[in-house]
Amino acid sequence: MSVAVLGGGAFGTALAISIAQVRPVILWARNAQDWTDRQSPRLPDAPVPDAVALTGDLKRAIGADTLLFAVPMQSLSGLLAAIPETLQGKALVACCKGIDLRTGQGPAHRLAETKPEATAAILTGPSFATDIARGLPTALTLACADDTVGQALQTELSTPNLRLYRSTDVAGAELGGALKNVIAIASGACMGAGLGDSARAALMTRGFAEMMRLALHFGARTETLAGLSGLGDLALTCTSPLSRNFRFGEALGRGDTPDATMTVEGKATARAALDIAERAGLSLPITTAVHAISTGQTSVADAIQGLLARPLKEE
Ligand SMILES: NC(=O)C1=CN([C@@H]2O[C@H](COP(=O)(O)OP(=O)(O)OC[C@H]3O[C@@H](n4cnc5c(N)ncnc54)[C@H](OP(=O)(O)O)[C@@H]3O)[C@@H](O)[C@H]2O)C=CC1
Ligand SMILES: O=C(CO)COP(=O)(O)O
């Protein structure tokens, strides 16, 4: 089986570097011709080894049997539109975290709907690209509704520093990975505003309750949310300044202007999550606050006041 990673940003590049330890891998980057010293502009100090076939030729990359889609969530549909070819018999693995604004779908569902001739899966969990590229140990969830394909992917994509746990709960893996970014923005804002570790712990816990509320409504399993792709990634992203979502929130909390060039998946995901929650009749107060501060509709101080002023309730 041959593997190609589509997307030469931080995560796609790190995955290709790791997979190259165990099998040949193609890395497709739309700007491959601009790379110097085989380094992604999005992942400095991590040149891709010669074992990675770096290319700017999308047609060549999609010839592989397993395709990993590692672009930001809101770019996934555009990338799929650039692939009119049938992907019959291939495994398509979503490596993005978010909810598509236009359709309200997670990344594996986007793949399945757009390319029904292939088998869709998702790879997600607590893993900074820089850690993977440095060969540090990481554990992720590989979710595929077809467990036979899931088992094959688990074997194919595990590497000495990438340990994959398997699941058939695609919706749970998608929503855990998407929603933790929203809560990471809230945690960053909390720390940037100097509210302290206790407040962050409260936000993480009540944020996790929101993640569960939405995900279980859409058929996800509790153990998936409590696993690597949910709680695991929530813990990582809400507590580390390596997280771009956390740093975005932290800048807002400090009253600074966030770096506009940074990929911050939680911003669009907050909007998309509120849309699907509204249709489902669910309340997501922290997500509502994150959407309001991310779009400049509310100050962080007012958002915090709004959350604290909510009626007292049972846990
Ligand atoms: N970074 C991390 O630690 C992790 C990231 N992820 C997830 O991986 C996904 C990608 O993030 P990440 O790699 O970090 O993002 P980056 O910002 O590092 O890179 C995004 C990459 O996607 C490319 N891209 C954007 N749109 C398209 C398109 N339509 N067609 C082809 N390429 C496109 C960009 O190209 P260009 O530079 O030309 O714009 C860029 O190379 C996100 O969903 C993120 O949540 C998951 C786990 C860890
Ligand atoms: O998803 C990630 C770690 O698991 C990366 O988080 P950021 O996108 O916030 O940097």
Side-chain angles (χ1 to χ4, degrees):
M1 301 288 270
S2 49
V3 179
V5 179
L6 309 183
F11 196 40
T13 303
L15 287 171
I17 290 172
S18 190
I19 293 167
Q21 297 175 82
V22 291
R23 63 187 69 254
V25 56
I26 298 172
L27 172 60
W28 171 76
R30 66 177 173 184
N31 59 357
Q33 73 287 347
D34 300 332
W35 289 28
T36 45
D37 300 331
R38 294 173 64 82
Q39 293 193 56
S40 167
R42 302 274 185 167
L43 190 66
D45 305 323
V48 297
D50 289 340
V52 174
L54 178 62
T55 183
D57 180 354
L58 182 56
K59 279 204 164 31
R60 176 183 169 202
I62 63 167
D65 303 307
T66 299
L67 305 181
L68 274 58
F69 288 78
V71 294
M73 182 68 227
Q74 306 308 323
S75 301
L76 181 60
S77 295
L79 173 56
L80 285 165
I83 308 176
E85 293 87 350
T86 174
L87 299 180
Q88 181 73 44
K90 296 180 190 291
L92 312 183
V93 184
C95 301
C96 21
K97 297 176 180 174
I99 301 171
D100 181 55
L101 270 169
R102 190 178 57 82
T103 61
Q105 291 175 321
H109 282 85
R110 276 309 300 128
L111 293 177
E113 185 176 278
T114 316
K115 296 289 182 188
E117 70 278 16
T119 304
I122 179 164
L123 179 62
T124 183
S127 55
F128 287 128
T130 171
D131 291 343
I132 296 174
R134 288 170 61 206
L136 300 179
T138 41
L140 288 89
T141 301
L142 184 286
C144 182
D146 180 333
D147 199 41
T148 306
V149 176
Q151 286 181 34
L153 287 171
Q154 182 182 31
T155 306
E156 190 180 21
L157 301 177
S158 289
T159 78
N161 70 310
L162 211 58
R163 179 174 169 77
L164 304 192
Y165 287 79
R166 201 174 71 251
S167 170
T168 54
D169 182 7
V170 173
E174 282 183 325
L175 284 167
L179 300 173
K180 65 88 190 174
N181 279 331
V182 178
I183 309 306
I185 293 177
S187 295
C190 167
M191 299 313 281
L195 301 183
D197 291 330
S198 304
R200 171 169 53 185
L203 270 174
M204 288 172 64
T205 311
R206 295 310 304 162
F208 185 62
E210 284 187 23
M211 290 167 62
M212 292 277 276
R213 197 174 304 141
L214 194 65
L216 297 192
H217 180 87
F218 286 98
R221 295 200 288 264
T222 306
E223 60 268 29
T224 313
L225 271 293
L228 291 163
S229 54
L231 187 58
D233 214 353
L234 180 75
L236 178 70
T237 322
C238 290
T239 59
S240 172
L242 286 182
S243 158
R244 297 161 298 188
N245 287 280
F246 180 89
R247 289 205 302 277
F248 173 80
E250 192 179 34
L252 294 178
R254 283 198 186 121
D256 295 342
T257 306
D259 174 358
T261 64
M262 206 165 55
T263 296
V264 181
E265 293 285 39
K267 273 189 293 182
T269 297
R271 173 71 271 162
L274 291 178
D275 289 346
I276 58 177
E278 191 176 294
R279 287 197 290 274
L282 298 173
S283 154
L284 305 179
I286 297 173
T287 306
T288 304
V290 167
H291 174 63
I293 63 169
S294 302
T295 51
Q297 292 170 34
T298 310
S299 68
V300 170
D302 284 349
I304 291 158
Q305 268 318 310
L307 286 173
L308 291 174
R310 298 178 68 244
L312 298 174
K313 49 188 281 202
E314 278 186 2
E315 188 168 30

